[in-house]
Each structure stands twice: as C-alpha cells, then as structure tokens.
C-alpha cells in the first residue's frame, strides 16, 4: 500500500514489493536488521558515505541471497559443497547475465555449510547499468550469510580488487562446520576492461583446518 508521496520512488516500491513476495530484510555489520544498502531489502542510503557521494538514484539489485531465493540467474549459478575442500570459479556482475563472452562464468555462487542453519552467497556488486546506484560494498564481491529458510540475510564481508593493489583480498570465516574448520574465500585474479572495473573475478573457496 502506498501511503504518501515519499513512497513513490523506485527503492520504496521495490522494497515493498520484496516484502510482499516473501523477502526478508537484509542487514550488515553496521545494522543487523536492515543495514545492507547494497540492494533493495536494507536501507536506501549508506550513512558512511558523505552526502555528495551518495548515489542519485535507486537502480540496484537484490543481494545474492535474495536473488538465489527468487531463482534469478539460476542457469548461471553454482552451488559449492566443498567435498573436495577447494573450488574455483569466475563470477561476473549481474548486468552481464544475458551477455556472456566466455563460458563457465557464473552470476551467483552459494556455499553450502553442512551443519549450520545458514549458507553463504556471493555476488559481484559492480556499480554499473541497472545496478549503478548500489550504495554499499560498491564494486566488491559481497559475501552474504543467508538463513537456510530464507528468513534473514546479512552481509558478512566484501572483498575488493584494484588493478595494481590488492586490498582485503581474502577472508577467513570461522564457521564452516561445528568441527572448528574455517572457510577461506580468496580473490585469485580478474579480467580487466578498464581501471578499477574488472569484467569478472576469479575466486577460490577452500576449507582449512
């Protein structure tokens, strides 16, 4: 239901529609319930960005866990169970979904956690075309913790890559299973078209310990 003029923007309309079709809110380390400003199911603006750096519109995507729940990009998704302890893949931004230039490039990846109530989902959140106004984790690989029953999602971390400087290029998550083993997600490389905007990222996911 639209109650006032402030609701007539793309973010509020899509956020409300998401609730109507069963999507929960999405948080992050700054605000657990709705702090994720990368997509539509968190907040509109990222308070850590200066006012003049805020995107001027609301064209963005649902985050990786929400997109998986909706079944979007299912033919270009990969599910990793890590029975072999390590997996590698290439991941491109969502707006490249219909324009493949190379085979074996995915849009969303899901890491199945064997004994946890949640899984991890990954998406390359490049700020361009219909995702140009994403307001958080801009141009990063987002790692989203999503409940197996899809009742919550939470941006755990993001990894970033630059042409000459690797920054925050890997993360170790402590909770692959109840045995104390860790999950390592690492940026191994990229395919570049122009500075600061790789066309796709090369990812390695490995169980350690």
């Amino acid at each position: 239901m639209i109650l006032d003029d402030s609701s007539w923007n793309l973010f509020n309309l899509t956020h409300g529609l998401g609730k109507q079709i069963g999507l929960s809110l999405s948080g992050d380390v700054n605000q657990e319930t709705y702090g994720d400003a990368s997509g539509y199911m968190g907040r509109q603006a990222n308070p850590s960005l200066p006012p003049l750096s805020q995107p001027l519109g609301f064209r963005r995507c649902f985050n990786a866990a929400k997109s998986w729940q909706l079944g979007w990009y299912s033919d270009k998704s990969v599910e990793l169970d890590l029975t072999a302890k390590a997996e590698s893949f290439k991941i491109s931004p969502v707006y490249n979904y219909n324009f493949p230039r190379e085979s074996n490039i995915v849009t969303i990846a899901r890491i199945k956690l064997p004994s946890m109530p949640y899984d991890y989902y990954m998406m390359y959140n490049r700020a361009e075309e219909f995702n140009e106004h994403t307001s958080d984790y801009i141009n990063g690989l987002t790692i989203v913790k999503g409940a197996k029953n899809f009742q919550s999602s939470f941006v755990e971390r993001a990894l970033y890559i630059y042409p000459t400087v690797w920054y925050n290029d890997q993360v170790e998550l402590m909770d692959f299973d109840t045995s104390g083993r860790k999950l390592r997600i690492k940026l191994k490389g990229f395919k570049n078209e122009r500075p600061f905007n790789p066309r796709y990222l090369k990812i390695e996911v490995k169980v350690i310990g």
Side-chain angles (χ1 to χ4, degrees):
M1 179 181 294
I2 305 301
L3 299 177
D4 55 49
D5 291 341
S6 67
S7 298
W8 287 99
N9 68 53
L10 181 60
F11 180 91
N12 286 335
L13 289 170
T14 310
H15 181 91
L17 177 62
K19 288 182 176 180
Q20 293 299 312
I21 61 176
L23 301 182
S24 63
L25 296 175
S26 185
D28 69 357
V29 294
N30 298 308
Q31 213 293 333
E32 187 170 349
T33 304
Y34 59 90
D36 175 17
S38 69
Y40 281 117
M41 297 313 296
R43 53 188 167 192
Q44 288 190 28
N46 180 355
S48 66
L49 291 178
L52 294 179
S53 298
Q54 294 288 346
L56 299 178
F58 299 109
R59 295 211 309 164
R60 57 181 74 171
C61 300
F62 292 109
N63 71 22
K66 307 306 185 192
S67 295
W68 187 284
Q69 178 183 350
L70 291 168
W72 293 358
Y73 327 112
S74 59
D75 60 328
K76 293 183 182 176
S77 300
V78 62
E79 187 169 73
L80 311 173
D81 61 15
L82 296 181
T83 54
K85 283 203 168 186
E87 294 277 359
S88 297
F89 60 92
K90 300 173 184 176
I91 190 167
S92 67
V94 292
Y95 64 80
N96 276 342
Y97 169 73
N98 285 323
F99 303 97
R101 302 185 190 179
E102 298 183 37
S103 60
N104 302 318
I105 298 179
V106 305
T107 302
I108 302 176
R110 177 187 188 182
I111 305 172
K112 294 181 66 177
L113 302 182
S115 54
M116 297 297 180
Y118 49 82
D119 295 314
Y120 286 115
Y121 301 82
M122 290 176 286
M123 177 185 286
Y124 179 15
N125 189 43
R126 185 162 151 180
E128 200 163 333
E129 297 198 18
F130 58 77
N131 195 45
E132 64 180 331
H133 299 136
T134 181
S135 188
D136 216 348
Y137 310 105
I138 297 169
N139 296 329
L141 177 79
T142 54
I143 304 167
V144 179
K145 179 187 289 187
K148 291 185 187 295
N149 62 7
F150 297 114
Q151 292 304 301
S152 64
S153 70
F154 181 93
V155 181
E156 185 85 4
R157 291 287 294 276
L159 304 181
Y160 300 93
I161 189 170
Y162 297 96
T164 58
V165 179
W166 293 72
Y167 170 71
N168 198 22
D169 66 338
Q170 72 176 35
V171 61
E172 291 184 4
L173 304 172
M174 302 295 292
D175 49 3
F176 174 70
D177 58 21
T178 56
S179 69
R181 292 187 295 170
K182 299 177 183 179
L183 183 68
R184 176 185 292 163
I185 302 172
K186 186 172 184 177
L187 289 169
K188 297 287 288 184
F190 59 93
K191 177 70 173 180
N192 213 18
E193 288 179 322
R194 55 187 182 275
F196 304 106
N197 282 306
R199 179 155 56 88
Y200 63 74
L201 306 177
K202 299 176 183 179
I203 309 299
E204 179 189 77
V205 181
K206 185 176 183 180
V207 177
I208 56 176

